[in-house]
Amino acid sequence: MDILVNLQAFLATADAAGFSAAARKLGVSTSVVAKRVTQLEARIGTPLFHRSTRQLRLTDAGQRYVHRARSVVTDATDLLSRMGEKGHDLVDHLRIKAPTSLTVARLADAFSAFQTQNPRLKLEIVLIDRPVDPVTEGFDIAIGAFPHSFGGVVDEPLCALKRLLCASPAYLKKHGTPKHPRDLVEHRCLSFLPTGPEWIFDGPRGRISIQVSPLLSSNEGHVLARSAIAGNGIALMSHYLVADALRDGTLKPVLLDFPIPELWVKAAIPERRRNAAAVQALLTLLKTSLAPSL
């Protein structure tokens, strides 16, 4: 067990870039973390960190070993958890990557319900709005709607993500309603940063790609929705973020004859974690919570 706790100390220090922050995360003293890392370095015969009064950073050896160490700790923790399970209780530590807007709007409740149902589970939820390789970045599940795929990773589809253009009635009255996607270059546009300013539509003769010059860009969908409701421009939005505003008329759909291609929300899972009981249980809850579409 000394090797396991020393590896955990190494990983916590690498993630936190310091012994003090790692100690707070692990619930031990700074000296204990430093001692465990030193013991690990002595065992393998090479330093894992460059130490100075100003910073702590990984050596070349530390960078080579950090992801393998994370895999070893995850596998060992999973094994010990399964051996210690009582009845149908799930015991595990899941590190989850999730997108910001979707988590705030929908997934936070799902994660809370999941932990309520499984009180012995530990969850670490990190909000990131970019593609993530869960193997190299040490996640058990990476949730997102980007089309990227990675080696050694299984993609589990969760639900379709519907998107549309919308604007406030006041904006459309003042600036006019676009009739074709190319008209958007003359409009004030509100853009979601992770998907960028290239807006793609399905037209009667095929795909149409328009490069807009956004008045506002943000990685948080609620910011765009509030700006659109305030009359600041036309926003490309996920339907779930503006469904209420569309129902009460504070936002109106735009260019319905040119639908925006659906994305799929998926969970990317390292192959070695695919069959973990906690991972499968969380997938089941997510599919139920998000289905059939957002």
Side-chain angles (χ1 to χ4, degrees):
M1 291 298 290
D2 285 346
I3 290 295
L4 181 58
V5 296
N6 290 349
L7 286 171
Q8 289 171 329
F10 164 55
L11 293 174
T13 303
D15 291 340
F19 290 132
S20 297
R24 289 192 294 271
K25 180 178 180 180
L26 295 174
V28 298
S29 68
T30 302
S31 61
V32 167
V33 174
K35 181 179 179 181
R36 290 175 179 174
V37 171
T38 300
Q39 289 175 342
L40 183 60
E41 291 174 324
R43 176 68 180 269
I44 65 177
T46 188
L48 296 169
F49 294 98
H50 293 294
R51 294 166 169 82
S52 71
T53 56
R54 292 188 175 184
Q55 64 177 357
L56 192 72
R57 58 187 179 87
L58 288 167
T59 62
D60 290 342
Q63 291 175 349
R64 285 197 305 272
Y65 296 142
V66 66
H67 298 306
R68 293 181 63 185
R70 201 180 302 278
S71 296
V72 169
V73 169
T74 298
D75 289 344
T77 302
D78 183 50
L79 174 61
L80 292 172
S81 297
R82 288 174 181 272
M83 294 172 66
E85 285 178 3
K86 296 179 180 179
H88 297 289
D89 286 355
L90 292 176
V91 184
D92 208 333
H93 182 140
L94 295 185
R95 189 165 187 257
I96 303 163
K97 173 267 176 188
T100 303
S101 299
L102 181 57
T103 301
V104 172
R106 297 287 293 273
L107 293 182
D109 288 340
F111 291 143
S112 297
F114 185 61
Q115 196 153 45
T116 299
Q117 294 167 11
N118 303 283
R120 300 177 69 195
L121 277 178
K122 293 183 179 180
L123 301 182
E124 180 181 348
I125 301 167
V126 183
L127 305 187
I128 301 175
D129 294 305
R130 59 172 173 81
V132 164
D133 181 347
V135 173
T136 60
E137 298 198 39
F139 288 98
D140 300 293
I141 298 177
I143 300 168
F146 295 101
H148 299 70
S149 295
F150 302 96
V153 174
V154 177
D155 289 336
E156 288 279 353
L158 298 178
C159 70
L161 179 63
K162 296 180 180 178
R163 298 180 298 158
L164 77 162
L165 288 186
C166 55
S168 71
Y171 174 88
L172 297 174
K173 181 178 180 180
K174 182 176 181 180
H175 297 277
T177 300
K179 304 300 183 185
H180 190 278
R182 61 174 171 263
D183 297 339
L184 292 169
V185 298
E186 304 298 331
H187 277 269
R188 299 159 67 87
C189 295
L190 315 176
S191 181
F192 188 51
L193 269 173
T195 51
E198 182 184 16
W199 292 2
I200 298 174
F201 303 83
D202 283 330
R205 298 181 181 178
R207 288 284 167 95
I208 301 170
S209 176
I210 301 295
Q211 192 78 20
V212 301
S213 180
L215 173 74
L216 170 67
S217 297
S218 176
N219 71 326
E220 216 298 302
H222 294 88
V223 173
L224 299 177
R226 299 310 302 175
S227 187
I229 290 170
N232 291 330
I234 298 175
L236 195 165
M237 300 292 304
S238 296
H239 184 270
Y240 72 91
L241 286 170
V242 292
D244 290 342
L246 292 169
R247 278 193 294 269
D248 64 26
T250 51
L251 287 177
K252 298 291 185 181
V254 176
L255 291 176
L256 288 177
D257 291 336
F258 297 87
I260 296 166
E262 284 184 347
L263 296 176
W264 267 86
V265 179
K266 64 180 182 178
I269 307 162
E271 288 180 348
R272 59 182 175 76
R273 291 287 281 160
R274 181 182 188 180
N275 295 320
V279 169
Q280 288 299 315
L282 179 56
L283 282 177
T284 298
L285 179 63
L286 290 175
K287 290 177 180 179
T288 301
S289 300
L290 298 178
S293 64
L294 289 170

